[in-house]
Structure formats: structure tokens, C-alpha cells
């Protein structure tokens, strides 16, 4: 099992397959690198080197009692890219992973980065504030923490069964295998990491991070995202970026890399080859 040890002693599990241009995947909350299986196999077959890690407290990485914030997430990613000595990498982040990618590039620079992709990503800021009136009220995230604390296993069945993949929409055909795989990944991780992570992904303001990024960034988002609402995320991020391109998917849910993998993979491939 491949791991690196960060300066604070945290072991970060990662996968590293293939050769060629490196594509680095950052997963969403509360999942693991396994959530990228479809993308990693696809891009491996297209001749890319594919890399994905389990965020601290998630998957097979150390269940640390603290450090569940965007600074540590970005620093852990930087430690991984330095360990692998990546050059000209394309960073792809889904949901919380999109915040991780943005904060990594802003905090550590783009010397190792060629491009980035934000998919259903949390930037610029999810929580409602005076400066972000279109955000979600803090009570929404307080409720998520309460459900996690009360019965994490039930909570981790309900979320993928409903809004995460849009399986609660009329005419949707829920996939028990997808739901079970989401639950499996979530339950592998630490309840403490996931509890704290809700604050990290909802209250971190990425506005200045986005403004500082000059590499090309593709922002991909479904307009039926029930987890990270479209209007207060993707269009604002694309506008803040120096070289951002917005691609909107009509009717696609938050978990579109899984449910609409063929479409997402094809568009990612076009961007990587452009």
C-alpha cells in the first residue's frame, strides 16, 4: 500500500498508475480516492498517469484527531506532489476536492501545475454571509453535523439515495450499487474528520484563492446540483478566475462524475488535450 508521511506524521494513502502527463484527482466529502475509479481507469487507458489520494481522516489515510481544514488538505496535497516530483500536472477536484485544488494552487503556487478542473466544486463560498447572500444558511450545515453525530451510517445511506446523485428526482432510477459504494467509502473514514470537514468545505472562503490562479481552469457543474447549488458556485468561480471556462450541464446532479461518467470523461479529455 503506497503512502507518504506528512510533516505532522499523518500517513496519506495514494494510488499512482501509468506514465505520461500526470492527472491528480482530489475526492469529495466524505469519500475516498475510490470515488475516481471510473475516471482513473479511463484516463489510464488514454495514456495518462493517474494519481489519487485519500484525504487525511478519509479512506485508508490516518484518522487524525485534528487538521481537518483546507490549509492541511492543501499542504497534504503539496506533500504528495513533491514526493512524486510531479511536473505539468492537471489537478481535478470534485466538490470539497475542488476547494482543495484551488487552495493548493493558491497556497503553494502553480510551478508544478499546468491546468485544473473544478467539478461540482464548493468554491467560492458555500455558507451564507453578508458578502455572500446567495449562500446556504449556516443551519443547513449544522443539521448535517447533527445527522452525522446522531447516526452516521443512516445518514450515509440517505445522502446518496437522494440528493447526491439526484435519485430523489421524478423518473430517476436509483442504483443500489452506487449507493452502497458511497456508504462503504464514507464509513471507511473517521467520524471526527467528516464532522470537522463540514465546516471546512462550507465556511472556507476561496474568493482570493480563485483570483490568484492564472493557469487554465475548467469549471464543470450541473444545474440540478442539490448539494452545491449551481448559481452560487460555478458561475462565480469562473468569473473570479483569470483563465476560467464554465461548462454547465442541464439536469446533472452533484455526483455527475459517477452517474454521467461518459459525458464528464469525454469533456475532461478534450480539456486535457486542448
Amino acid at each position: 500500500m503506497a503512502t507518504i508521511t506528512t510533516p505532522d506524521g499523518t500517513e496519506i494513502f495514494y494510488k499512482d498508475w501509468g506514465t505520461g502527463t500526470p492527472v491528480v484527482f482530489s475526492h469529495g466529502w466524505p469519500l475516498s480516492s475510490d470515488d475516481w475509479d471510473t475516471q482513473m481507469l479511463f484516463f489510464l487507458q488514454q495514456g495518462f498517469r493517474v494519481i489519487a489520494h485519500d484525504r487525511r481522516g478519509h479512506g485508508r489515510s490516518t484518522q487524525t484527531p485534528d487538521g481537518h481544514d483546507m490549509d492541511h488538505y492543501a499542504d497534504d496535497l503539496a506533500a504528495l506532489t513533491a514526493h512524486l516530483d510531479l511536473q505539468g500536472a492537471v489537478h481535478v477536484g470534485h466538490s470539497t476536492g475542488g476547494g482543495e485544488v484551488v487552495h493548493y494552487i493558491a497556497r503553494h503556487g502553480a510551478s508544478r501545475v499546468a491546468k485544473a478542473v473544478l467539478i461540482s466544486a464548493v468554491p467560492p463560498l458555500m455558507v451564507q454571509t453578508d458578502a455572500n447572500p446567495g449562500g446556504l444558511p449556516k443551519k443547513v450545515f449544522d443539521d448535517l453535523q447533527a445527522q452525522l453525530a446522531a447516526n452516521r451510517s443512516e445518514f450515509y445511506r440517505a445522502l446518496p439515495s437522494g440528493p447526491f446523485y439526484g435519485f430523489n428526482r421524478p423518473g430517476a432510477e436509483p442504483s443500489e450499487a452506487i449507493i452502497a459504494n458511497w456508504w462503504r467509502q464514507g464509513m471507511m473514514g473517521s467520524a471526527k474528520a467528516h464532522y470537522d470537514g463540514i465546516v471546512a468545505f462550507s465556511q472556507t472562503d476561496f474568493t482570493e484563492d480563485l483570483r490568484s490562479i492564472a493557469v487554465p481552469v475548467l469549471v464543470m457543474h450541473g444545474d440540478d446540483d442539490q448539494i452545491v447549488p449551481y448559481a452560487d458556485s460555478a458561475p462565480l468561480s469562473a468569473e473570479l478566475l483569470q483563465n476560467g471556462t464554465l461548462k454547465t450541464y442541464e439536469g446533472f446532479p452533484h455526483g455527475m462524475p459517477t452517474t454521467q461518467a461518459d459525458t464528464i470523461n469525454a469533456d475532461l479529455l478534450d480539456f486535457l488535450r486542448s
Side-chain angles (χ1 to χ4, degrees), residues 145-158 183 187:
Q145 287 185 311
Q147 291 179 71
L148 188 155
N151 191 322
R152 186 165 66 128
S153 184
E154 283 191 358
F155 179 43
Y156 285 3
R157 286 286 298 183
W183 180 90
M187 295 304 292

Side-chain angles (χ1 to χ4, degrees), residues 29-31 55-66 68 73 148 152 156 185-197:
W29 174 98
L31 303 173
R55 188 169 298 120
R56 64 169 56 212
H58 296 62
R60 289 139 292 206
S61 292
T62 304
Q63 294 198 10
T64 54
D66 49 27
H68 309 297
Y73 296 166
L148 188 155
R152 186 165 66 128
Y156 285 3
Q185 291 180 73
M187 295 304 292
M188 285 171 66
S190 156
K192 176 66 161 57
H194 297 168
Y195 187 90
D196 293 351

Side-chain angles (χ1 to χ4, degrees), residues 7 45 50 55 71 84 86 96 125 130 140 151 157 169 181 217 220 232 274:
Q45 292 163 1
V50 292
R55 188 169 298 120
D71 285 353
L84 298 176
L86 300 183
T96 298
L125 174 63
D130 290 343
V140 170
N151 191 322
R157 286 286 298 183
R169 293 307 198 203
N181 190 41
V217 182
M220 311 168 77
D232 198 54
S274 65

Side-chain angles (χ1 to χ4, degrees), residues 195-251:
Y195 187 90
D196 293 351
I198 292 171
V199 173
F201 75 66
S202 66
Q203 296 187 29
T204 303
D205 189 342
F206 300 96
T207 300
E208 295 307 316
D209 289 348
L210 291 161
R211 286 191 175 123
S212 73
I213 296 173
V215 299
V217 182
L218 177 63
V219 182
M220 311 168 77
H221 216 108
D223 68 1
D224 193 33
D225 191 322
Q226 299 173 69
I227 305 298
V228 181
Y230 172 84
D232 198 54
S233 53
L236 304 183
S237 289
E239 187 175 334
L240 288 164
L241 289 159
Q242 296 178 39
N243 192 2
T245 301
L246 174 64
K247 192 166 185 65
T248 304
Y249 297 86
E250 183 177 356

Side-chain angles (χ1 to χ4, degrees), residues 2-273:
T3 63
I4 63 162
T5 301
T6 66
D8 71 352
T10 301
E11 283 196 351
I12 301 294
F13 167 86
Y14 69 93
K15 307 172 187 181
D16 181 4
W17 306 338
T19 58
T21 300
V23 185
V24 185
F25 295 94
S26 291
H27 64 79
W29 174 98
L31 303 173
S32 74
S33 57
D34 292 353
D35 202 44
W36 291 112
D37 283 352
T38 303
Q39 281 70 39
M40 290 186 70
L41 289 170
F42 175 82
F43 285 101
L44 179 66
Q45 292 163 1
Q46 299 297 323
F48 292 89
R49 177 184 179 185
V50 292
I51 299 155
H53 67 293
D54 291 356
R55 188 169 298 120
R56 64 169 56 212
H58 296 62
R60 289 139 292 206
S61 292
T62 304
Q63 294 198 10
T64 54
D66 49 27
H68 309 297
D69 54 72
M70 281 295 163
D71 285 353
H72 281 87
Y73 296 166
D75 293 350
D76 293 346
L77 180 55
L80 177 62
T81 60
H83 173 77
L84 298 176
D85 193 24
L86 300 183
Q87 305 294 334
V90 180
H91 281 266
V92 182
H94 176 246
S95 194
T96 298
E100 177 179 282
V101 166
V102 165
H103 201 52
Y104 157 70
I105 298 173
R107 186 171 169 88
H108 292 275
S111 62
R112 297 181 180 274
V113 181
K115 300 177 181 179
V117 183
L118 309 179
I119 306 178
S120 311
V122 297
L125 174 63
M126 282 199 73
V127 74
Q128 186 180 69
T129 64
D130 290 343
N132 186 42
L136 295 171
K138 183 175 178 294
K139 184 181 184 302
V140 170
F141 305 107
D142 293 343
D143 288 348
L144 294 180
Q145 287 185 311
Q147 291 179 71
L148 188 155
N151 191 322
R152 186 165 66 128
S153 184
E154 283 191 358
F155 179 43
Y156 285 3
R157 286 286 298 183
L159 204 57
S161 298
F164 196 93
Y165 294 112
F167 290 153
N168 56 343
R169 293 307 198 203
E173 297 182 7
S175 164
E176 176 57 32
I178 288 174
I179 294 165
N181 190 41
W182 199 103
W183 180 90
R184 175 191 67 84
Q185 291 180 73
M187 295 304 292
M188 285 171 66
S190 156
K192 176 66 161 57
H194 297 168
Y195 187 90
D196 293 351
I198 292 171
V199 173
F201 75 66
S202 66
Q203 296 187 29
T204 303
D205 189 342
F206 300 96
T207 300
E208 295 307 316
D209 289 348
L210 291 161
R211 286 191 175 123
S212 73
I213 296 173
V215 299
V217 182
L218 177 63
V219 182
M220 311 168 77
H221 216 108
D223 68 1
D224 193 33
D225 191 322
Q226 299 173 69
I227 305 298
V228 181
Y230 172 84
D232 198 54
S233 53
L236 304 183
S237 289
E239 187 175 334
L240 288 164
L241 289 159
Q242 296 178 39
N243 192 2
T245 301
L246 174 64
K247 192 166 185 65
T248 304
Y249 297 86
E250 183 177 356
F252 280 21
H254 186 67
M256 63 185 188
T258 298
T259 55
Q260 277 80 21
D262 289 348
T263 299
I264 299 305
N265 289 354
D267 289 347
L268 275 174
L269 182 61
D270 286 345
F271 179 67
L272 265 60
R273 287 178 170 170

